Short mmCIF file of all heavy atoms in Angstrom, two decimals:
data_model
loop_
_atom_site.label_atom_id
_atom_site.label_comp_id
_atom_site.label_asym_id
_atom_site.label_seq_id
_atom_site.Cartn_x
_atom_site.Cartn_y
_atom_site.Cartn_z
N GLY A 241 95.87 108.90 114.83
CA GLY A 241 96.01 109.71 116.08
C GLY A 241 96.57 111.11 115.76
O GLY A 241 96.38 112.06 116.47
N VAL A 242 97.18 111.27 114.60
CA VAL A 242 97.69 112.55 114.12
C VAL A 242 96.52 113.24 113.31
O VAL A 242 96.29 114.46 113.58
CB VAL A 242 98.91 112.39 113.18
CG1 VAL A 242 99.36 113.71 112.59
CG2 VAL A 242 100.04 111.71 113.93
N ASP A 243 95.86 112.53 112.49
CA ASP A 243 94.83 113.13 111.67
C ASP A 243 93.88 111.97 111.22
O ASP A 243 94.37 111.05 110.46
CB ASP A 243 95.32 113.88 110.52
CG ASP A 243 94.16 114.70 109.76
OD1 ASP A 243 93.16 114.12 109.61
OD2 ASP A 243 94.45 115.82 109.46
N SER A 244 92.73 111.90 111.65
CA SER A 244 91.81 110.75 111.37
C SER A 244 91.51 110.58 109.88
O SER A 244 91.03 109.56 109.51
CB SER A 244 90.53 110.86 112.18
OG SER A 244 89.86 112.07 111.89
N ARG A 245 91.78 111.57 109.06
CA ARG A 245 91.54 111.41 107.69
C ARG A 245 92.40 110.45 106.97
O ARG A 245 92.10 109.92 105.92
CB ARG A 245 91.70 112.84 106.96
CG ARG A 245 90.58 113.85 107.35
CD ARG A 245 90.91 115.20 106.76
NE ARG A 245 92.09 115.77 107.33
CZ ARG A 245 92.65 116.92 106.83
NH1 ARG A 245 92.11 117.55 105.76
NH2 ARG A 245 93.75 117.44 107.38
N TYR A 246 93.54 110.10 107.58
CA TYR A 246 94.42 109.11 107.02
C TYR A 246 93.79 107.73 106.73
O TYR A 246 94.20 106.97 105.91
CB TYR A 246 95.67 109.02 107.81
CG TYR A 246 96.75 110.04 107.60
CD1 TYR A 246 96.98 111.06 108.52
CD2 TYR A 246 97.50 110.05 106.44
CE1 TYR A 246 97.95 112.01 108.30
CE2 TYR A 246 98.42 111.05 106.19
CZ TYR A 246 98.66 112.02 107.19
OH TYR A 246 99.56 113.02 106.99
N GLN A 247 92.72 107.41 107.54
CA GLN A 247 92.15 106.10 107.36
C GLN A 247 91.34 105.94 106.06
O GLN A 247 90.89 104.93 105.72
CB GLN A 247 91.19 105.88 108.59
CG GLN A 247 90.07 106.75 108.74
CD GLN A 247 89.32 106.63 110.03
OE1 GLN A 247 89.01 105.48 110.52
NE2 GLN A 247 89.06 107.69 110.75
N ALA A 248 91.22 107.03 105.33
CA ALA A 248 90.45 106.97 104.07
C ALA A 248 91.10 106.05 103.05
O ALA A 248 90.45 105.51 102.19
CB ALA A 248 90.41 108.39 103.41
N MET A 249 92.47 105.76 103.18
CA MET A 249 93.08 104.75 102.28
C MET A 249 92.54 103.37 102.50
O MET A 249 92.64 102.51 101.62
CB MET A 249 94.58 104.80 102.44
CG MET A 249 95.27 106.07 102.01
SD MET A 249 97.06 105.99 101.98
CE MET A 249 97.40 105.11 100.43
N ASP A 250 91.99 103.10 103.66
CA ASP A 250 91.60 101.78 103.96
C ASP A 250 90.12 101.48 103.79
O ASP A 250 89.65 100.48 104.30
CB ASP A 250 92.02 101.41 105.49
CG ASP A 250 93.51 101.47 105.63
OD1 ASP A 250 94.23 101.31 104.63
OD2 ASP A 250 93.96 101.67 106.82
N VAL A 251 89.43 102.39 103.14
CA VAL A 251 87.92 102.21 103.09
C VAL A 251 87.64 100.94 102.37
O VAL A 251 88.17 100.60 101.28
CB VAL A 251 87.29 103.42 102.34
CG1 VAL A 251 87.42 104.73 103.18
CG2 VAL A 251 87.85 103.60 101.01
N PRO A 252 86.74 100.09 102.97
CA PRO A 252 86.39 98.79 102.31
C PRO A 252 85.23 98.95 101.29
O PRO A 252 84.47 99.83 101.35
CB PRO A 252 85.86 98.00 103.56
CG PRO A 252 85.27 98.99 104.44
CD PRO A 252 86.16 100.22 104.30
N GLY A 253 85.23 98.04 100.39
CA GLY A 253 84.18 97.96 99.40
C GLY A 253 84.16 99.09 98.35
O GLY A 253 83.18 99.19 97.62
N VAL A 254 85.25 99.82 98.23
CA VAL A 254 85.30 100.87 97.28
C VAL A 254 86.12 100.58 96.07
O VAL A 254 85.74 100.87 94.97
CB VAL A 254 85.85 102.16 97.96
CG1 VAL A 254 86.10 103.28 96.93
CG2 VAL A 254 84.91 102.69 99.00
N PHE A 255 87.27 99.91 96.33
CA PHE A 255 88.16 99.58 95.18
C PHE A 255 87.93 98.12 94.67
O PHE A 255 87.90 97.19 95.45
CB PHE A 255 89.65 99.75 95.68
CG PHE A 255 89.91 101.05 96.37
CD1 PHE A 255 90.34 101.07 97.62
CD2 PHE A 255 89.79 102.24 95.63
CE1 PHE A 255 90.55 102.28 98.31
CE2 PHE A 255 90.01 103.43 96.27
CZ PHE A 255 90.38 103.43 97.61
N LYS A 256 87.75 98.05 93.37
CA LYS A 256 87.46 96.75 92.84
C LYS A 256 88.73 95.79 92.84
O LYS A 256 88.58 94.58 92.83
CB LYS A 256 86.83 96.81 91.44
CG LYS A 256 87.74 97.43 90.41
CD LYS A 256 87.02 97.60 89.09
CE LYS A 256 87.93 98.19 87.99
NZ LYS A 256 87.19 98.25 86.65
N ASP A 257 89.91 96.38 92.73
CA ASP A 257 91.11 95.68 92.88
C ASP A 257 92.25 96.61 93.21
O ASP A 257 92.06 97.81 93.36
CB ASP A 257 91.44 94.85 91.55
CG ASP A 257 91.41 95.77 90.37
OD1 ASP A 257 91.81 96.94 90.46
OD2 ASP A 257 91.04 95.20 89.27
N ALA A 258 93.44 96.05 93.30
CA ALA A 258 94.65 96.82 93.69
C ALA A 258 94.96 97.97 92.67
O ALA A 258 95.36 99.07 93.07
CB ALA A 258 95.86 95.97 93.85
N ARG A 259 94.75 97.67 91.39
CA ARG A 259 95.10 98.66 90.34
C ARG A 259 94.07 99.81 90.43
O ARG A 259 94.42 100.99 90.07
CB ARG A 259 95.07 98.01 88.98
CG ARG A 259 96.21 97.03 88.76
CD ARG A 259 97.56 97.67 88.81
NE ARG A 259 98.64 96.85 88.42
CZ ARG A 259 99.93 97.07 88.59
NH1 ARG A 259 100.32 98.20 89.17
NH2 ARG A 259 100.80 96.18 88.25
N HIS A 260 92.82 99.53 90.82
CA HIS A 260 91.85 100.57 90.95
C HIS A 260 92.26 101.48 92.12
O HIS A 260 92.18 102.79 91.99
CB HIS A 260 90.44 99.99 91.22
CG HIS A 260 89.36 100.96 91.32
ND1 HIS A 260 88.16 100.78 91.96
CD2 HIS A 260 89.29 102.26 90.87
CE1 HIS A 260 87.42 101.81 91.88
NE2 HIS A 260 88.02 102.74 91.23
N ALA A 261 92.77 100.92 93.20
CA ALA A 261 93.30 101.71 94.28
C ALA A 261 94.49 102.56 93.81
O ALA A 261 94.58 103.72 94.27
CB ALA A 261 93.69 100.84 95.48
N GLN A 262 95.33 101.97 93.04
CA GLN A 262 96.54 102.72 92.57
C GLN A 262 96.11 103.92 91.68
O GLN A 262 96.60 105.03 91.91
CB GLN A 262 97.40 101.83 91.62
CG GLN A 262 98.53 102.48 91.04
CD GLN A 262 99.41 101.56 90.17
OE1 GLN A 262 99.09 100.40 89.93
NE2 GLN A 262 100.54 102.11 89.68
N ARG A 263 95.13 103.71 90.81
CA ARG A 263 94.68 104.85 90.04
C ARG A 263 93.99 105.95 90.92
O ARG A 263 94.20 107.21 90.66
CB ARG A 263 93.64 104.40 88.98
CG ARG A 263 94.23 103.49 87.87
CD ARG A 263 93.17 103.27 86.78
NE ARG A 263 92.03 102.58 87.13
CZ ARG A 263 91.93 101.29 87.22
NH1 ARG A 263 92.91 100.49 86.93
NH2 ARG A 263 90.74 100.74 87.61
N THR A 264 93.37 105.55 91.96
CA THR A 264 92.71 106.56 92.81
C THR A 264 93.74 107.35 93.59
O THR A 264 93.76 108.52 93.60
CB THR A 264 91.79 105.82 93.82
OG1 THR A 264 90.79 105.10 93.13
CG2 THR A 264 91.13 106.77 94.79
N PHE A 265 94.77 106.59 94.25
CA PHE A 265 95.75 107.27 95.03
C PHE A 265 96.70 108.07 94.20
O PHE A 265 97.35 109.04 94.73
CB PHE A 265 96.54 106.24 95.86
CG PHE A 265 95.63 105.45 96.82
CD1 PHE A 265 95.98 104.18 97.21
CD2 PHE A 265 94.44 106.02 97.32
CE1 PHE A 265 95.19 103.49 98.10
CE2 PHE A 265 93.64 105.26 98.15
CZ PHE A 265 94.05 104.00 98.58
N SER A 266 96.82 107.72 92.89
CA SER A 266 97.76 108.48 92.01
C SER A 266 97.14 109.68 91.34
O SER A 266 97.82 110.45 90.74
CB SER A 266 98.30 107.54 90.93
OG SER A 266 98.98 106.44 91.52
N ASP A 267 95.80 109.77 91.47
CA ASP A 267 95.09 110.94 90.84
C ASP A 267 95.64 112.22 91.37
O ASP A 267 95.76 112.38 92.62
CB ASP A 267 93.58 110.74 91.14
CG ASP A 267 92.78 111.84 90.60
OD1 ASP A 267 92.45 111.78 89.43
OD2 ASP A 267 92.47 112.81 91.35
N PRO A 268 95.85 113.18 90.58
CA PRO A 268 96.44 114.45 91.03
C PRO A 268 95.67 115.19 92.10
O PRO A 268 96.16 115.72 93.06
CB PRO A 268 96.51 115.29 89.74
CG PRO A 268 96.63 114.32 88.66
CD PRO A 268 95.78 113.09 89.10
N GLU A 269 94.24 115.13 91.94
CA GLU A 269 93.44 115.81 92.91
C GLU A 269 93.53 115.14 94.29
O GLU A 269 93.64 115.77 95.32
CB GLU A 269 91.95 115.75 92.51
CG GLU A 269 91.01 116.51 93.40
CD GLU A 269 89.56 116.48 92.95
OE1 GLU A 269 89.20 115.77 91.90
OE2 GLU A 269 88.76 117.22 93.56
N PHE A 270 93.48 113.75 94.31
CA PHE A 270 93.54 113.07 95.56
C PHE A 270 94.93 113.19 96.10
O PHE A 270 95.12 113.44 97.37
CB PHE A 270 93.32 111.53 95.34
CG PHE A 270 93.29 110.75 96.59
CD1 PHE A 270 92.03 110.62 97.25
CD2 PHE A 270 94.42 110.17 97.12
CE1 PHE A 270 91.96 109.89 98.44
CE2 PHE A 270 94.38 109.43 98.36
CZ PHE A 270 93.12 109.32 98.95
N ARG A 271 95.96 113.12 95.32
CA ARG A 271 97.39 113.26 95.87
C ARG A 271 97.63 114.58 96.54
O ARG A 271 98.18 114.71 97.60
CB ARG A 271 98.37 113.06 94.66
CG ARG A 271 99.85 113.19 95.16
CD ARG A 271 100.76 113.17 93.99
NE ARG A 271 100.74 111.93 93.25
CZ ARG A 271 101.28 110.81 93.67
NH1 ARG A 271 102.01 110.71 94.78
NH2 ARG A 271 101.16 109.68 92.93
N GLU A 272 97.21 115.71 95.81
CA GLU A 272 97.45 117.09 96.38
C GLU A 272 96.75 117.19 97.72
O GLU A 272 97.35 117.70 98.66
CB GLU A 272 96.92 118.09 95.39
CG GLU A 272 97.08 119.49 95.86
CD GLU A 272 96.58 120.57 94.89
OE1 GLU A 272 95.97 120.17 93.84
OE2 GLU A 272 96.69 121.72 95.16
N TYR A 273 95.53 116.66 97.86
CA TYR A 273 94.81 116.86 99.12
C TYR A 273 95.47 115.94 100.19
O TYR A 273 95.79 116.46 101.31
CB TYR A 273 93.37 116.42 98.92
CG TYR A 273 92.52 116.47 100.15
CD1 TYR A 273 91.73 117.63 100.44
CD2 TYR A 273 92.49 115.47 101.09
CE1 TYR A 273 90.93 117.71 101.58
CE2 TYR A 273 91.72 115.48 102.26
CZ TYR A 273 90.94 116.64 102.47
OH TYR A 273 90.13 116.73 103.64
N PHE A 274 95.69 114.68 99.85
CA PHE A 274 96.12 113.69 100.87
C PHE A 274 97.57 113.96 101.39
O PHE A 274 97.80 113.83 102.61
CB PHE A 274 96.01 112.31 100.36
CG PHE A 274 95.79 111.20 101.33
CD1 PHE A 274 94.50 111.01 101.88
CD2 PHE A 274 96.80 110.46 101.83
CE1 PHE A 274 94.23 110.07 102.77
CE2 PHE A 274 96.54 109.48 102.83
CZ PHE A 274 95.28 109.23 103.30
N MET A 275 98.41 114.37 100.53
CA MET A 275 99.80 114.58 100.84
C MET A 275 99.98 115.76 101.70
O MET A 275 101.00 115.97 102.42
CB MET A 275 100.74 114.63 99.60
CG MET A 275 100.80 113.33 98.81
SD MET A 275 101.83 112.04 99.72
CE MET A 275 100.60 111.24 100.74
N ALA A 276 99.03 116.71 101.67
CA ALA A 276 99.15 117.95 102.44
C ALA A 276 98.58 117.88 103.85
O ALA A 276 98.75 118.73 104.66
CB ALA A 276 98.47 119.16 101.67
N MET A 277 97.88 116.74 104.07
CA MET A 277 97.07 116.64 105.41
C MET A 277 97.95 116.76 106.61
O MET A 277 97.52 117.41 107.60
CB MET A 277 96.32 115.29 105.38
CG MET A 277 95.18 115.25 104.39
SD MET A 277 94.04 113.88 104.66
CE MET A 277 95.15 112.53 104.99
N GLY A 278 99.10 116.28 106.63
CA GLY A 278 99.89 116.20 107.84
C GLY A 278 100.90 117.29 108.05
O GLY A 278 101.61 117.34 109.07
#
């Protein structure tokens, strides 16, 4: 409701496991973009 982009963390069928999601969310490029959204 604040910014619809936040739902990107919940995309299905993209991460093969939890550690894959961890590597994605910890990536500097992703972090810089996602943390600035709000």
